[in-house]
Amino acid sequence: MSDMNSLIKGIGNKNRSLASKDEEILNKEEVLANYNFNYDDVDDETIDYLKDVTYKIHSTTHKFYTNLGKMLLETQEKLANNKTGVFRKWFESIGLNKTFVYDNIARYNYIVRLSDNIKVEKVETLPVTLTYEIAKDSCPEAIREKVIGGEIKTKLELKKAIKEVQKEKIEEIIQEAEIVVDYEISLKKEF
């Protein structure tokens, strides 16, 4: 009988440790740093309440969106051999749109690719809309790092930073083209 109690107790302890790993606790200050609580004519008690609710919502939804992305990816992979568009038909039939589905798949894939647990935690503290954007293949790595590092906090700032990087790339291409043209001109003069 005592062996059975030990076994049950061991299983319970193992389940508790798995549950605690599964239920990551996000740093409240890091999460709240991504939101603006500057409201006119609102008392401190109300602001504190709003911060608590925001943290609870964020903590609940970040896990939901990660799990949703995983489920969508697994379903997409399972249905990939059908070649009949059944995946899209399915997700549309349950009320999901294409952008939402693929944003969540990309977000999940991005989180899985992160090998650094600290970065994963940082990404999970970000608003979901920002995580959708940094998960896109088109997002430059330098911009991702700025978002994860807290230098970029809003989707508007992110879009502006991406445009800056794109503008710099275009300017580099133009400069390279000018160098080639100058070189061709100098070759023509030599001949």
Side-chain angles (χ1 to χ4, degrees):
M1 186 76 158
S2 96
D3 288 337
M4 185 61 91
N5 287 339
S6 296
L7 180 62
I8 292 170
K9 186 176 178 183
I11 291 170
N13 289 340
K14 188 167 244 165
N15 285 341
R16 273 192 294 283
S17 71
L18 288 174
S20 66
K21 286 180 185 176
D22 192 38
E23 297 173 12
E24 290 180 36
I25 304 297
L26 297 175
N27 182 306
K28 188 173 183 176
E29 288 77 30
E30 284 187 52
V31 169
L32 295 178
N34 292 298
Y35 298 97
N36 181 1
F37 295 96
N38 298 327
Y39 305 113
D40 294 334
D41 301 324
V42 178
D43 60 273
D44 289 343
E45 183 179 335
T46 303
I47 294 294
D48 289 342
Y49 172 77
L50 292 173
K51 287 180 178 181
D52 286 341
V53 171
T54 300
Y55 176 72
K56 288 175 186 173
I57 290 170
H58 185 100
S59 297
T60 303
T61 58
H62 93 274
K63 185 176 179 180
F64 166 78
Y65 286 115
T66 301
N67 288 332
L68 178 63
K70 180 180 181 184
M71 288 185 280
L72 291 169
L73 177 65
E74 289 170 350
T75 305
Q76 180 189 42
E77 289 171 348
K78 184 164 182 73
L79 299 174
N81 292 333
N82 290 327
K83 308 287 186 227
T84 60
V86 71
F87 177 64
R88 184 172 183 164
K89 290 174 190 171
W90 167 75
F91 71 67
E92 287 177 344
S93 76
I94 62 170
L96 303 177
N97 71 42
K98 182 180 173 183
T99 302
F100 179 78
V101 167
Y102 288 102
D103 280 351
N104 279 285
I105 290 172
R107 180 182 182 277
Y108 174 74
N109 282 330
Y110 176 68
I111 289 170
V112 169
R113 283 192 313 264
L114 291 173
S115 58
D116 181 354
N117 286 338
I118 294 171
K119 276 190 178 179
V120 170
E121 289 175 19
K122 293 271 189 194
V123 168
E124 294 284 13
T125 64
L126 298 170
V128 168
T129 55
L130 277 179
T131 63
Y132 289 153
E133 295 301 319
I134 65 171
K136 292 180 180 176
D137 291 335
S138 60
C139 184
E141 190 59 35
I143 301 299
R144 286 184 181 130
E145 293 299 323
K146 286 183 178 183
V147 172
I148 293 170
E151 294 174 54
I152 297 173
K153 293 183 184 257
T154 66
K155 192 172 173 180
L156 183 64
E157 290 173 352
L158 176 75
K159 295 285 187 183
K160 187 177 176 183
I162 290 173
K163 282 184 182 178
E164 295 268 333
V165 168
Q166 291 170 340
K167 183 180 172 186
E168 289 171 10
K169 284 184 181 180
I170 290 170
E171 289 172 0
E172 286 176 21
I173 292 169
I174 290 170
Q175 287 176 346
E176 289 175 13
E178 288 172 349
I179 291 170
V180 170
V181 169
D182 289 345
Y183 180 71
E184 288 176 349
I185 290 171
S186 68
L187 281 176
K188 286 179 183 177
K189 285 182 183 178
E190 285 182 30
F191 292 107

